[in-house]
Amino acid sequence: MQFSIAISGFVAIYIFMLAAFAGWVIIGHVPAILHTPLMSGSNFVHGIVVVGGIFALLNAGNVQEQVIGFFAVLLGAGNAAGGFAVTDRMLAMFQPSEHKPVQAVAGDHKASQTRKA
Amino acid sequence: MTDLLKIIPQLTIGAVDLVAAFLFMYGLKRMSSPVTAPSGIKVAGLGMAVAIVASFLYAFDVGATAKPFLTVNIGLAVVALAIGGGIAWWAGRKVAMTAMPQMVAIYNGMGGGAAAAIAAVELFGNKADGVTQLVVTLIGALIGAVSLSGSLIAWAKLDEVIKKPLRFQGQQILNALVALATLAIGGYFVAVTHGVITPPVATSDLIYIFFGAALLFGVLMTLPIGGADMPVVISIYNAFTGLAVGLGGFVLQNPALMIAGMVVGAAGTLLTLLMAKAMNRSVSNILFTNFGTVVQQKQGEIKGSLKPVEASDAGIFMRYAASVIIVPGYGLAVAQGQGKLYEFVKLLQAAGVSVKFAVHPVAGRMPGQMDVLLAEAGVPYDMIFQLEDINDEFANTDVALVIGANDVVNPAARTDKSSPIFGMPILNADKAKKVYVVKRGQGKGYAGIVNALFYGDNCDMVYGDAAAVLTKMIEAVRALGTKAAA
């Protein structure tokens, strides 16, 4: 007995289409303030390629495949780890004002201040 | 029993990858607001971690040829993970926020390289099952390789290893020829593999030539693009790598790779378009024409003169203003003045001045980088406003303080049709009642254009290094005492 899902033909195209839509919609709502972390964040997500690298390396049957597979894992791991490190660092810096934790409230507060001035 | 030993790992990998794909998308979703973003990346990181750990279960189901190598291969995988992950982690923790664009370029190139390497294993091992798989493998290899070499050139340019764009006569034609040649080799390879033609060279040589041509194309395509446009280029390569990973996922029959790759491919494409729009350029314009070599048109005469003032006077004036909007540019980051700026802002706030930051979408060397640099200095994100949210407020504001920014406040973009930046959305700093511009000297901005704002009647210039100027402003305001203004 073999358990595996064959993703071929139209099924693959469906997956690609829906994933592309999801990516487009998710990113469409990101404010410009987060563009840099988002770029490095999406950069991190394609670090999942390391999983493909591990698959290729584990299935390597000769030295050439081992060498290329090794580099695939090495580079993919760099992509994933580095992407996470910089994105996490950047996002941790975004802090709200201390006494105004909710952004919407902070906006209203400022607006009223300006009107008074 | 042996069946069970294969089925359980397969099921586990399938289930874990499903969870990982969900966590990636949920994490990205959380990254779309500053409030939830810090947890978003952690969610995505968790997805990555479980997917990597689960991928070692592939060891239970390797082919007969790979069986004797399995122990060594597992060891190699662990070593590669440790070295690649370790170095990149260390570099990512250490890198300065100003050097972020080139760091992202490197990580992106690594991802592209990994995708290309996986495709190479498939090609050399002749593992593709049918024409479709082979073609998809080749396309993934091509995109991955272009992303690798292109990202490395982008890094070299941003890090100023390569200082000038390389341009020569007939460059576009050469690039097109290399691209066509790469595609032709790929097509030839498909024909050879399926026995349509017998090649004069070994198939493995063909693969080397294919990768060589693809890498060369990535280099040639990136070399003529100017440093200012590099962020858009990195964003394009980010989308490329995503696409290559997605296609690789199809070849390996791994839905997590397909989904994650394609989500990034689409997100990267959208991000590229947003950035290009903010720079008032089209993507094809960035890739295929050469900014900076634009013939300098004669500009309309600018009336008025530059009026230098002392930093201390400007500081005191702002102390007694009711509202101040600060327009920071990359010059501020070059001078490492963000910390001093926030110190000054806190003094103004203590004196009852309403202070806001107005950040242009392309301030910094990468869209959104200025926001990160301000956040690093401790500025709360609810004080940072984007162009469309704050532009109408300048007219009712006492002082606009422009620090190290130039082209993004040049009114010529609104009025002067002959200006190269005409049509670019700008911050309307010139509409404020009073404008102070902190600048190192009388030089021009990135685009090499004279800025009419500086000559306006309401504008005074404060010359000097941004950090030094801010230090003087802080001293001047402190000397007044910090009692709140009535």
Side-chain angles (χ1 to χ4, degrees), chain A residues 33-96:
Chain A
I33 187 172
L34 287 174
H35 274 174
T36 291
L38 187 79
M39 192 146 121
S40 75
S42 59
N43 182 46
F44 157 73
V45 167
H46 65 53
I48 186 71
V49 70
V50 68
V51 166
I54 292 172
F55 176 83
L57 179 54
L58 293 184
N59 282 286
N62 58 47
V63 174
Q64 186 193 30
E65 288 181 358
Q66 282 180 314
V67 171
I68 305 175
F70 181 80
F71 276 103
V73 178
L74 187 80
L75 294 173
N79 185 178
F84 182 86
V86 293
T87 311
D88 188 45
R89 242 182 89 192
M90 277 193 273
L91 288 175
M93 289 169 185
F94 282 90
Q95 297 296 335

Side-chain angles (χ1 to χ4, degrees), chain B residues 34-288:
Chain B
V35 184
T36 53
S39 66
I41 181 67
K42 293 199 165 66
V43 168
L46 179 69
M48 186 72 75
V50 293
I52 290 174
V53 171
S55 68
F56 277 92
L57 293 174
Y58 283 127
F60 286 99
D61 192 19
V62 297
T65 43
K67 271 268 161 61
F69 296 93
L70 191 58
T71 326
V72 180
N73 286 348
I74 292 175
L76 282 175
V78 173
V79 171
L81 276 177
I83 297 177
I87 293 176
W89 181 273
W90 172 78
R93 285 279 149 198
K94 220 180 62 98
V95 63
M97 284 297 147
T98 42
M100 200 50 77
Q102 49 268 53
M103 210 67 224
V104 173
I106 289 188
Y107 294 145
N108 185 55
M110 292 173 98
I118 292 168
V121 171
E122 296 289 313
L123 291 174
F124 281 119
N126 198 9
K127 294 180 182 181
D129 187 14
V131 181
T132 316
Q133 277 224 341
L134 183 60
V135 170
V136 172
T137 311
L138 282 167
I139 295 173
L142 170 64
I143 299 174
V146 168
S147 180
L148 168 64
S149 60
S151 296
L152 288 181
I153 298 294
W155 165 79
K157 278 173 180 275
L158 285 167
D159 215 44
E160 295 186 348
V161 177
I162 300 175
K163 291 223 169 67
K164 283 223 162 107
L166 178 83
R167 290 166 189 152
F168 50 86
Q169 207 74 40
Q171 194 165 22
Q172 308 278 5
I173 299 165
L174 177 73
N175 289 4
L177 285 177
V178 175
L180 283 176
T182 316
L183 291 175
I185 299 164
Y188 186 71
F189 183 75
V190 175
V192 166
T193 313
H194 288 270
V196 186
I197 5 180
T198 327
V201 291
T203 35
S204 64
D205 288 345
L206 264 182
I207 301 171
Y208 284 121
I209 299 170
F210 176 76
F211 275 108
L215 290 171
L216 180 65
F217 178 65
V219 171
L220 288 175
M221 186 176 143
T222 322
L223 274 178
I225 303 170
D229 286 334
M230 269 312 130
V232 179
V233 175
I234 296 175
S235 182
I236 292 173
Y237 287 140
N238 187 32
F240 271 24
T241 305
L243 204 60
V245 172
L247 295 176
F250 172 73
V251 174
L252 298 180
Q253 294 284 299
N254 183 319
L257 259 70
M258 291 174 74
I259 292 171
M262 202 47 75
V263 164
V264 175
T269 307
L270 178 59
L271 206 53
T272 309
L273 295 175
L274 288 175
M275 286 181 195
K277 199 175 144 213
M279 295 169 85
N280 194 34
R281 314 272 309 278
S282 74
V283 174
S284 67
N285 182 260
I286 288 166
L287 289 181
F288 302 118

Side-chain angles (χ1 to χ4, degrees), chain B residues 363-451:
Chain B
R365 294 188 310 157
M366 181 170 169
Q369 192 187 11
M370 202 64 232
D371 305 282
V372 174
L373 292 168
L374 289 176
E376 186 186 19
V379 178
Y381 60 73
D382 42 36
M383 279 178 72
I384 305 173
F385 292 82
Q386 303 300 315
L387 186 135
E388 60 275 16
D389 299 324
I390 199 164
N391 236 358
D392 295 336
E393 281 187 38
F394 279 104
N396 305 318
T397 298
D398 290 344
V399 182
L401 173 63
V402 179
I403 305 185
N406 191 342
D407 295 333
V408 298
V409 289
N410 191 342
R414 284 199 308 260
T415 52
D416 184 358
K417 283 209 170 91
S418 67
S419 172
I421 60 167
F422 178 73
M424 180 171 98
I426 59 152
L427 288 162
N428 297 328
D430 57 319
K431 302 219 167 139
K433 288 169 198 146
K434 178 86 202 165
V435 183
Y436 286 112
V437 176
V438 178
K439 224 169 157 300
R440 269 151 71 96
Q442 299 194 0
K444 295 164 182 171
Y446 240 154
I449 315 156
V450 178
N451 194 335

Side-chain angles (χ1 to χ4, degrees), chain B residues 5-42:
Chain B
L5 258 181
K6 280 185 183 176
I7 291 165
I8 291 175
Q10 275 177 0
L11 271 172
T12 313
I13 293 173
V16 169
D17 282 2
L18 183 67
V19 172
F22 169 78
L23 289 176
F24 282 147
M25 285 199 278
Y26 182 60
L28 274 177
K29 177 78 198 134
R30 287 189 75 82
M31 270 190 244
S32 65
S33 153
V35 184
T36 53
S39 66
I41 181 67
K42 293 199 165 66

